[in-house]
């Protein structure tokens, strides 16, 4: 099944299950996608992806979006000040991450790349743990089994195989849970991702492949990655694909909730393509002005996920200025905590890297530790460098 809808409230035409619509095949054409909240903040409905949310839930989603963007911006500033070695910003992708993160149940398990800071927030991972890794003082800092949120994966696409294997395992255990694997449009070209699709399909694994198509694989546009919309690749592997407006937190919530339920009830994997945009650089070592036009970025600003939800809250009278001011004040507090927390992180003892290579002492590791300690002691003062 390939599911697409018009991004307006007029009548929607759905392609027959499993049959691509040639009129929609053009990669460069205006995309058809599931949308529940227009860029102007107007609520629209979709028969296959109904969503009922309370005013309190809408306000909570808005708070998530604002706070996630704030600590992401703080991290970018800290890297520019030399406090972090690198940072991969999620600017513009907050709705894709918060919507999918809030769709998960407590027992569901997420496998991220290195940019899923919003999903980490939804899984109660402290932002300082994320930043500690980019500062080089820890290797993640959180317990994946406590948070049901795996450690960040730097190798492009590798986490999709990890997620599929985990999903195969929980299926054998008979658990009523699902797995979600995050990756980008560029990673969709990796062999690991396509192998994961094959295994997940053949074993009917309860896994949702969540692709954040932010239009750019570092400096290469999606058009050079694929000849068809990414979500349609699922049909070649024998499972459904859905394209959703990745800047619409409500549509992402509804589609991901449906996909996870589809997977957990024994119906197999789903590919969700969240059609969004990377507003900033690929990482802080990248200069996007070298390969994309400013007009493109400006056009996406009108689709900003935070502004559209704020517009909806204001139009419907679901939040007042006091609420928005309170969220802004909370974001300032979070920014200060992140800034002070990063700067006060102690440097780790370099010999800690030898401690958990194996679960028990190992003579080769002991020998390497002794060699390093002797090398470090050879410097003046005997301090580690």
């Amino acid at each position: 099944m390939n599911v697409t809808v018009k991004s307006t409230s007029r009548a929607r035409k759905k392609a027959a299950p499993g049959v691509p619509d040639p009129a929609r095949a053009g990669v460069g054409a205006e995309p058809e996608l599931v949308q529940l909240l227009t860029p102007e903040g107007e609520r629209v409905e979709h028969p296959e992806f109904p969503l009922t949310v309370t005013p309190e839930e809408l306000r909570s989603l808005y708070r998530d979006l604002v706070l996630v963007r704030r600590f992401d911006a703080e991290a970018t500033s800290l890297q520019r000040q030399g406090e972090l070695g690198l940072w991969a910003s999620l600017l513009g992708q907050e709705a894709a991450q918060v919507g999918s993160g809030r769709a998960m149940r407590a027992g569901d398990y997420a496998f991220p790349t290195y940019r899923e800071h919003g999903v980490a927030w939804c899984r109660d991972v402290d932002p300082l743990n994320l930043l500690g890794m980019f500062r080089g003082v820890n290797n993640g800092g959180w317990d994946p089994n406590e948070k049901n949120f795996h450690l960040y994966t730097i190798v492009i696409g590798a986490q999709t195989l990890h997620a599929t294997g985990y999903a195969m395992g929980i299926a054998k255990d008979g658990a009523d849970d699902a797995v979600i694997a995050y990756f980008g449009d560029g990673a969709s070209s990796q062999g690991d991702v396509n192998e994961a699709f094959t295994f997940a399909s053949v074993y009917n694994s309860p896994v949702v492949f969540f692709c954040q198509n932010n239009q750019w694989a570092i400096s290469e546009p999606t058009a050079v990655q694929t000849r068809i919309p990414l979500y349609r690749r699922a049909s070649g592997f024998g499972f459904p694909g859905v394209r959703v407006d990745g800047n619409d937190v409500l549509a992402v919530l509804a589609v991901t909730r449906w996909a996870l339920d589809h997977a957990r009830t024994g119906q197999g994997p789903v590919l969700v393509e969240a059609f969004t945009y990377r507003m900033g650089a690929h990482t802080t070592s990248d200069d996007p002005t070298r390969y994309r036009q400013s007009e493109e970025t400006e056009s996406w600003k009108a689709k900003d996920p935070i502004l559209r939800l704020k517009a909806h809250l204001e139009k419907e009278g679901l939040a007042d200025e006091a609420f928005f001011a309170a969220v802004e004040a909370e974001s300032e507090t979070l920014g200060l905590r992140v800034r002070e927390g990063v700067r006060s992180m102690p440097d780790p003892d370099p010999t800690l890297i030898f401690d958990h290579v194996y679960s028990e002492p190992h003579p080769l590791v002991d020998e390497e530790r002794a060699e390093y300690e002797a090398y470090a002691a050879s410097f003046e003062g005997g301090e580690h460098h």
Side-chain angles (χ1 to χ4, degrees), residues 234-251:
S235 63
F237 293 90
F239 55 86
V242 184
R243 177 187 266 172
V244 62
D245 184 343
N247 284 20
D248 175 358
V249 69
L250 300 186

Side-chain angles (χ1 to χ4, degrees), residues 189-213:
S189 297
Q190 291 289 328
D192 283 6
V193 174
N194 291 273
E195 290 168 10
F197 287 177
T198 297
F199 271 87
S201 177
V202 170
Y203 285 92
N204 207 48
S205 303
V207 56
V208 173
F209 296 105
F210 193 93
C211 176
Q212 291 177 84
N213 179 2

Side-chain angles (χ1 to χ4, degrees), residues 49-252:
F49 300 101
L51 181 69
T52 301
V53 286
T54 66
E56 182 180 359
E57 289 170 330
L58 287 171
R59 290 190 292 268
S60 180
L61 288 169
Y62 177 82
R63 172 181 175 272
D64 285 335
L65 296 173
V66 171
L67 295 183
V68 165
R69 177 170 291 186
R70 179 50 192 267
F71 86 71
D72 175 69
E74 197 65 45
T76 300
S77 296
L78 286 165
Q79 194 284 329
R80 297 305 190 200
Q81 296 164 17
E83 302 290 348
L84 302 178
L86 187 74
W87 183 247
S89 174
L90 58 60
L91 183 62
Q93 298 177 223
E94 296 89 354
Q97 296 192 15
V98 169
S100 60
R102 291 304 181 197
M104 284 188 280
R105 295 181 184 176
D108 295 338
Y109 204 108
F111 286 79
T113 62
Y114 47 78
R115 199 188 301 275
E116 274 66 60
H117 320 313
V119 185
W121 171 267
C122 294
R123 302 308 274 179
D124 295 324
V125 174
D126 191 320
L128 288 174
N129 279 335
L130 299 177
L131 296 169
M133 185 179 69
F134 287 91
R135 189 174 171 86
V137 303
N138 64 42
N139 291 318
W142 64 89
D143 181 351
N145 292 326
E146 175 193 349
K147 305 297 185 182
N148 275 20
F149 183 76
H150 200 267
L151 296 176
Y152 274 8
T153 302
I154 307 301
V155 179
I156 305 300
Q159 72 282 355
T160 58
L161 284 172
H162 306 158
T164 300
Y166 190 92
M168 291 165 63
I170 64 174
K172 290 183 179 295
D173 290 341
D176 182 27
D177 297 318
V179 177
I180 185 167
Y182 290 89
F183 60 100
D185 47 296
S188 68
S189 297
Q190 291 289 328
D192 283 6
V193 174
N194 291 273
E195 290 168 10
F197 287 177
T198 297
F199 271 87
S201 177
V202 170
Y203 285 92
N204 207 48
S205 303
V207 56
V208 173
F209 296 105
F210 193 93
C211 176
Q212 291 177 84
N213 179 2
N214 65 19
Q215 313 302 310
W216 290 93
I218 306 183
S219 58
E220 297 290 350
T222 308
V224 303
Q225 299 285 336
T226 181
R227 294 292 297 273
I228 63 171
L230 290 173
Y231 76 96
R232 288 206 194 144
R233 288 187 175 181
S235 63
F237 293 90
F239 55 86
V242 184
R243 177 187 266 172
V244 62
D245 184 343
N247 284 20
D248 175 358
V249 69
L250 300 186
V252 174

Side-chain angles (χ1 to χ4, degrees), residues 204-205 240 261-269:
N204 207 48
S205 303
D261 286 342
H262 181 281
R264 80 171 83 256
T265 53
Q267 300 179 70

